[in-house]
Amino acid sequence: MDVHYNITYLILGGHVQLSKYRYLYFSITFLLFILIICSNTVVLYVIYVHESLHKPMYIFVAALLMNALFGSITVYPKLLVDLLSATQTISRPACRLQSFLIYLYAGCEFTLLSAMAFDRYVSICRPLQYHSLVRTQTVKLILVLAFCLPICKMGIGIIPSASLRLCKFVLTRITCDNYSLVKAGCGDSSVINAYGLFVMVLSIVPHLIFIVFSYTKILIICLRSSRDFRKGALNTCLPHLVIFLNFTIIVMFEVIQNRIPSGILHIVRLIVSLLYVVIPPLFNPLMYGIKMQEISQRLVALFKQK
């Protein structure tokens, strides 16, 4: 391998016994990818074709499912190619692009979950003002901000590492991330790591605070209301709350395990590093398809018709 290749390309060396289980890994990964594409697409189709579902709550659900598809497409095609390749390499620009897109997916997930929390908060806590506060133009603006703000935040987050010279060319992962690229850089990277962590906290914590605040208010209203009201609020809020907790825990595990130098088995690190593109993209359409009555009824009707 010549010097130019070493400098231009990186090796993704995180695979475990790939030569032995190559086709098993490929089959499982391909099946997961197909399930993710089909499950999210079906729910999106149902929301699209039924005008009764063209409401802010379901529009935000559709945006969340589209973001799951985006995150999956960022990871799975490259992963499938690597599983069948003799060498698992990626160019440095492509690696940086993949890490940016993965962070963008995570950032959009949190902004969309915050938008959904806002919708539920206004619907339950201020029902008389709902139609004046959550109008079509407001929904459009929220969706634009939900995707544009993470682009700005993540773009600013990776600027310091963009020109970093690399001294290591093997990443102990199967996907790219900015933290691993920074660790592969020459010299002291503590300042860049601290800056990246600060941007990550700034991108996540405000959304966590807002969602916790929203659901605290919703809980107070529910405790003061009738049993039927609590049941209705629970049916609309439970899917969102479970998905929020699920994604937050997965992201926290990934951030923590990626920054612990030792003590965790490599296979555990590998599994944790992929959870964010396995569980949420599969779990979200299942959760909304079962727990949201208007969607579930139309899904049942669709499959009966087929």
Side-chain angles (χ1 to χ4, degrees):
M1 189 178 295
D2 58 30
V3 176
H4 177 73
Y5 185 86
N6 250 334
I7 293 174
T8 306
Y9 286 84
L10 300 170
I11 298 173
L12 299 173
H15 296 274
V16 177
Q17 295 185 326
L18 182 57
S19 58
K20 185 177 180 180
Y21 299 109
R22 181 185 306 276
Y23 297 107
L24 176 62
Y25 291 160
F26 178 86
S27 301
I28 294 173
T29 304
F30 183 73
L31 178 61
L32 284 173
F33 190 39
I34 294 299
L35 285 174
I36 288 169
I37 295 293
C38 292
S39 59
N40 285 275
T41 302
V42 167
V43 179
L44 282 169
Y45 171 78
V46 168
I47 294 174
Y48 175 75
V49 298
H50 293 282
E51 290 190 9
S52 61
L53 298 180
H54 295 179
K55 301 175 183 177
M57 178 171 60
Y58 302 109
I59 292 173
F60 290 135
V61 169
L64 195 71
L65 299 182
M66 289 178 65
N67 189 53
L69 288 174
F70 166 73
S72 301
I73 292 171
T74 299
V75 172
Y76 281 96
K78 169 59 178 170
L79 182 57
L80 289 169
V81 171
D82 284 344
L83 290 174
L84 295 181
S85 302
T87 57
Q88 293 70 50
T89 59
I90 186 170
S91 67
R92 182 176 174 180
C95 191
R96 293 199 179 282
L97 177 62
Q98 187 185 54
S99 65
F100 170 74
L101 294 178
I102 289 172
Y103 290 156
L104 179 60
Y105 154 69
C108 289
E109 195 82 357
F110 279 110
T111 53
L112 288 170
L113 289 170
S114 296
M116 297 172 76
F118 168 75
D119 176 72
R120 293 299 83 206
Y121 166 76
V122 177
S123 175
I124 295 172
C125 299
R126 299 185 179 183
L128 298 179
Q129 298 174 288
Y130 182 79
H131 292 291
S132 61
L133 291 175
V134 189
R135 295 174 297 175
T136 302
Q137 294 300 321
T138 306
V139 173
K140 291 180 180 179
L141 177 61
I142 290 174
L143 289 176
V144 170
L145 292 176
F147 288 101
C148 289
L149 287 178
I151 291 175
C152 297
K153 290 178 182 178
M154 301 309 162
I156 293 172
I158 66 172
I159 286 176
S161 61
S163 59
L164 189 66
R165 191 166 65 91
L166 300 182
C167 289
K168 300 175 184 177
F169 306 99
V170 179
L171 305 181
T172 57
R173 293 175 61 89
I174 61 176
T175 60
C176 291
D177 71 293
N178 195 59
Y179 181 72
S180 296
L181 288 170
V182 171
K183 287 197 300 183
C186 304
D188 184 16
S189 59
S190 57
V191 175
I192 297 178
N193 283 333
Y195 176 78
L197 188 61
F198 170 75
V199 172
M200 185 179 298
V201 170
L202 191 63
S203 301
I204 296 176
V205 172
H207 299 293
L208 299 183
I209 294 173
F210 177 76
I211 293 172
V212 170
F213 168 79
S214 299
Y215 275 97
T216 301
K217 291 289 187 179
I218 290 173
L219 178 61
I220 293 172
I221 294 294
C222 288
L223 291 175
R224 296 174 180 174
S225 303
S226 65
R227 182 177 180 180
D228 290 338
F229 182 89
R230 289 198 297 269
K231 184 179 179 180
L234 181 64
N235 287 335
T236 58
C237 293
L238 183 61
H240 174 263
L241 187 58
V242 172
I243 287 169
F244 161 68
L245 293 173
N246 172 51
F247 191 75
T248 302
I249 291 170
I250 289 173
V251 169
M252 288 178 62
F253 276 159
E254 166 64 0
V255 172
I256 292 171
Q257 69 90 18
N258 204 20
R259 282 164 172 76
I260 296 177
S262 60
I264 300 179
L265 293 176
H266 178 69
I267 185 65
V268 176
R269 290 181 182 271
L270 177 62
I271 294 172
V272 171
S273 69
L274 287 176
L275 287 179
Y276 66 95
V277 287
V278 175
I279 295 179
L282 279 175
F283 183 74
N284 292 6
L286 182 64
M287 192 70 181
Y288 284 119
I290 293 176
K291 296 300 294 183
M292 299 192 79
Q293 188 174 7
E294 289 196 45
I295 294 179
S296 64
Q297 288 176 348
R298 284 160 179 79
L299 283 173
V300 171
L302 175 65
F303 286 112
K304 283 184 177 180
Q305 182 182 2
K306 297 297 181 182

